[in-house]
Amino acid sequence: MRYNPLGNTGLFVSELCLGTMTFGNSPGQYAAASGVTQEQAEAIIRRGFDAGINFIDTANVYAGGQSEAMVGQALKCLGISRHQVVLATKAEHATGAGPNDGGASRYHLLHEVKASLKRLGTDHIDLYQLHGWDPATPVEATIRALDDIVRQGLVRYVGVSNWAAWQIAKALGKADLLQAERFQSVQAYYSLAGRDLEREVVPVVEAENLGLLVYSPLAGGYLTGKYRENKTEGRRATVQFPPVDEQKGEGVLAAMDKVAAAHGASLAAVALAWLRHQPAVTSIILGIKQPAQLDENLKATKLTLTNDDL
């Protein structure tokens, strides 16, 4: 397991991160990807930490907060020291039906960070990320609120998720003008089947030395090849996320077949190894439901691709 610096923080995170959108029973938009029980979550986290993973990513909206609570309970039950784990969570998406139950306002963020801390069972969050862009709140107001949260010691570092390059650049400029806490990371979708990020976001990430945290590295299971023959089972049969251009995707899978055969590896390992070789990528967020699935993904850490492979 390699450890990479997170932006300009001096903090090192494992190249693989345990994503927890699968934890709990989600009634909403994440239902198709959820279902992991507390016992299963503890087995996954234990296996991950035994393999050298020190990074966990969650969000206040995963299973209505249940995911955060399960992570906190798992760390306690497993006896994993708080100092050994880098905890990341998110806020901004709506947590209720009220007009102020979402967004990146001071009102919402101060309420949500305390709720997340309580569910996680900790006194601080290492990386607090905005889950999306809020067009209703001036970015200056959001930056000032996050800066205050950091100064209060509730959060160590801040980041963003699902932001466009111009939004990231604007926020960094405003933070510098205000002498406030800068964003240190960007969480975004990136995979062999979805490389749009390379056009504008990756150049910003590299220019500003931001940490790039990649989610859906297997394109919702598409890059494992399991949807070639049977498209009626699995997560993508219910929710086509992330969207994949299957006409182009067939060519990608064909190229991956050759690389996998040459290395005696699975398609999943090849897809993850390709991301490990991208200089901008700091950590790859895995969506795991079973320890055996994690074991398969961990094989990517031992897979070195040649220039021809890449």
Side-chain angles (χ1 to χ4, degrees):
M1 188 68 61
R2 297 185 308 198
Y3 298 90
N4 298 318
L6 180 69
N8 297 293
T9 65
L11 180 71
F12 284 79
V13 296
S14 51
E15 60 184 331
L16 298 181
C17 172
L18 292 177
T20 63
M21 190 173 71
T22 57
F23 289 12
N25 292 298
S26 178
Q29 61 181 320
Y30 304 107
S34 67
V36 171
T37 66
Q38 183 67 44
E39 183 179 2
Q40 291 170 327
E42 290 174 17
I44 290 168
I45 291 175
R46 178 74 277 166
R47 179 69 189 93
F49 271 73
D50 287 346
I53 294 175
N54 73 343
F55 196 16
I56 298 177
D57 177 74
T58 185
N60 62 346
V61 292
Y62 293 164
Q66 190 180 2
S67 174
E68 287 182 325
M70 290 174 69
V71 168
Q73 183 65 31
L75 294 175
K76 181 179 179 181
C77 290
L78 294 171
I80 296 176
S81 166
R82 180 65 184 85
H83 186 64
Q84 290 180 285
V85 57
V86 178
L87 273 182
T89 192
K90 313 177 199 74
E92 190 276 332
H93 286 359
T95 55
N100 294 304
D101 287 337
S105 67
R106 177 183 293 272
Y107 183 96
H108 183 63
L109 292 178
L110 286 173
H111 177 270
E112 287 304 314
V113 71
K114 291 178 181 177
S116 288
L117 287 167
K118 184 176 181 180
R119 287 189 292 264
L120 288 164
T122 184
D123 63 353
H124 72 280
I125 292 162
D126 297 303
L127 178 63
Y128 199 51
Q129 303 156 100
L130 296 177
H131 213 158
W133 172 263
D134 176 11
T137 305
V139 71
E140 297 92 334
T142 298
I143 288 169
R144 286 190 183 278
L146 290 172
D147 188 66
D148 286 346
I149 290 172
V150 172
R151 291 178 185 276
Q152 290 172 31
L154 304 179
V155 165
R156 298 291 188 258
Y157 310 106
V158 292
V160 299
S161 179
N162 303 313
W163 278 31
W166 71 265
Q167 294 166 341
I168 298 167
K170 178 176 181 177
L172 292 175
K174 293 291 186 181
D176 289 344
L177 285 172
L178 296 170
Q179 295 185 320
E181 191 70 21
R182 269 179 143 242
F183 294 125
Q184 297 293 346
S185 65
V186 177
Q187 186 174 145
Y189 167 53
Y190 187 28
S191 80
L192 270 169
R195 298 176 61 176
D196 291 354
L197 205 72
E198 294 173 351
R199 293 193 179 98
E200 293 187 351
V201 174
V202 167
V204 170
V205 163
E206 292 179 329
E208 297 292 340
N209 194 33
L210 302 175
L212 179 57
L213 314 178
V214 176
Y215 69 74
S216 294
L218 301 179
Y222 179 83
L223 291 174
T224 65
K226 67 182 180 182
Y227 292 99
R228 279 170 158 167
E229 302 298 331
N230 189 345
K231 299 185 179 181
T232 62
E233 296 180 4
R235 175 175 137 193
R236 293 193 64 83
T238 305
V239 180
Q240 292 286 315
F241 182 85
V244 171
D245 182 335
E246 295 195 18
Q247 186 173 355
K248 291 183 178 180
E250 288 175 5
V252 173
L253 290 173
M256 291 172 66
D257 283 336
K258 297 176 182 178
V259 176
H263 292 274
S266 67
L267 291 181
V270 170
L272 295 173
W274 182 84
L275 283 168
R276 289 180 67 242
H277 285 70
Q278 304 310 306
V281 174
T282 301
S283 190
I284 304 164
I285 301 171
L286 307 176
I288 303 297
K289 284 195 170 184
Q290 299 289 341
Q293 184 185 2
L294 176 58
D295 287 337
E296 186 61 35
N297 288 350
L298 285 167
K299 293 178 181 178
T301 63
K302 302 183 185 303
L303 179 55
T304 299
L305 301 181
T306 67
N307 288 332
D308 287 342
D309 292 334
L310 294 169

